Amino acid sequence: MKPAAGQRIVIVGAGLAGALLGALLARQGWQVDLYEKRGDPRRQGYAGGRSINLALAERGRHALRQADADDAVMRQAVMMRGRMVHFADGSQQLQRYGRDDSEVIWSVHRGDLNVTLLGIAEDAGARVHFDSRLDGVDFDAREARFVDDRDGSLNRVVFDAVIGADGAGSALRAAMTDVIDLGERVEPLGHSYRELEIPPADDGGFRIEPNALHIWPRGDYMCIALPNDERTFTVTLFMPNTGNPGFDTVRTPAQARALFERDFADALALIPDLEADWQANPVGMLATLYLDRWALDGRAVLMGDAAHAMVPFHGQGMNCAFEDCVSLARHIGSADSFEAAFAAFEAERKPNAEAIQHMALENYYEMRDRVDDADYLLQRALELVLQERHPGRFVPHYAMVTFMRIPYRVALERSEVQRLLLAEATAGIESLDAIDWAMLDSRVRERLAALDPER
C-alpha cells in the first residue's frame, strides 16, 4: 500500500512499541497519530508504573536500527555479560550469556527509552496526543473516542486503521472484544513480584559488578538485580502468591527484612531502604495472555503486550514487541490492503509469540531452580563445547533467542532437540571427560540441520 491523501493510522498507546511503530510508519509516509492516556513524560517525568529496567537484545536493536534509534538508545545502556549467581553460602559465579563480549545483553531504562522513541517518532512526522484515554470505538464508522481525564473533554477521531499498542490491559482489545470473540485467555503464573533498589555507592559508583544480571536463586523464589545508568540497581523479588515464603506470609516491611536476613543476606547489605521500598512499591502480578485472533478484518489489529503479554523471565517482551513493529510496518507497506497486511502479520508473528511465551515460562523455572545445580552447570559446559565442535549446527538456546534473529518458533524447536542431546550425554556422569564424543557428534549431525547463516 502507498499512503493515500488523508488516510490516517491511529495507534493506541505511545509507550515503547507504539512510539517505535509510529516512527516506522511515519517514515513510510503515513499520517500517524498516537494517543496515550498518560501525560508527556518529557514534561512531568516518567510515570509508567512498571519496572525501570529492560533487557535489550539483538532482536530489539535490529528494530531500533530500522528507525535510526539504536545509537541514541545505546548511549544510555549498560552491558550485561551474563548472570552473576549469588549462592546461598555467599559465593558468586558469573555464568556468561555468550562466548565473549560480542554476545551480551543491555540493561536500558524504560523511561529514558520511551522518551527517546517519542522524539524519534515525532521527528519522523508522527503526531503524539497525551492525556488521551481510549473510551470507545465505533468500528463500523471507523471512529475512536478519546477522553482527557483532566477535564473530561471528548475527542472523536476518524481512522482508516487502528492499532493497539496499549499493553496487557489494552483498551482497544476490550473494544474489539465487544464486537468479535478474540478467544482471550489469561493464565496467571501463581507468582508475583516486588521491586526494591540498590543505591549508588558513597563514591557515586556501582555497589556491585555493573556488567551482569545478578540473581539469587532459592528454589521456588528468587531475587534479581539489573543495573541502571545512574549507578543504581533495580532489585526484583519473585515469590509465590501463597506459601512460606509467599506474598501472603511476607506482607510487612519487618517480615521482608526477616526473609532477606535469612535467604538474601548479601543482598540485604546493599539495600539500605528495604523497609521504605517495600512499603512504597506494590506487588505486581504475573500472567500470560493468549488470543486466538489479533485482528478485526482491516479495521483493527493488536500487537506487543496487547496481543501476547508474557512473563518477563527471558527478557524478550520488549524485543518481541519491537519485532512486531518491524513486521507490521513491513506488511502494511507491502500488502494491497490493511486486511491483507493484518492477516499476514498475524500469520507470521503469532506462532513466534507463542513460542517465546513458552520459553519465558521455562526460563523462570531454570533461573530460580537450576542455575546453581551441578547437572545444569555440566550441561552448560557441554553446550559451549558442542558449539565449538559444530558451529552453525549446535547453537545454544540462549544464543538463538538473544543474539540471533531466527524465528522464536525455530529456536524453540531446535532447543528441545538440543536439550535432549545434552541430557542423554550427561546422564550418570560428573565430568565431560566421560563423554563418548564420537557417538555424541554423530547424534548432533543426525538430529540438527545446519542453521541458515542469513537468519
Side-chain angles (χ1 to χ4, degrees), residues 54 99 142 156 261 300 428 449:
L54 295 162
R99 289 169 290 186
R142 295 184 187 246
R156 298 180 182 273
E261 287 175 343

Side-chain angles (χ1 to χ4, degrees), residues 9 75 85 97 125 155 307 310 319 321 334 372 405 424:
I9 296 176
R75 283 195 289 269
V85 181
Y97 291 132
N155 183 21
M310 66 192 72
N319 296 286
S334 62
D372 55 352
R405 294 190 296 110
E424 290 173 351

Side-chain angles (χ1 to χ4, degrees), residues 21 24 62-63 66 321-331:
L21 180 63
L24 294 173
H62 172 78
Q66 310 313 299
F322 282 179
E323 278 195 330
D324 282 358
C325 294
V326 173
S327 172
L328 182 54
R330 183 180 72 253
H331 286 299

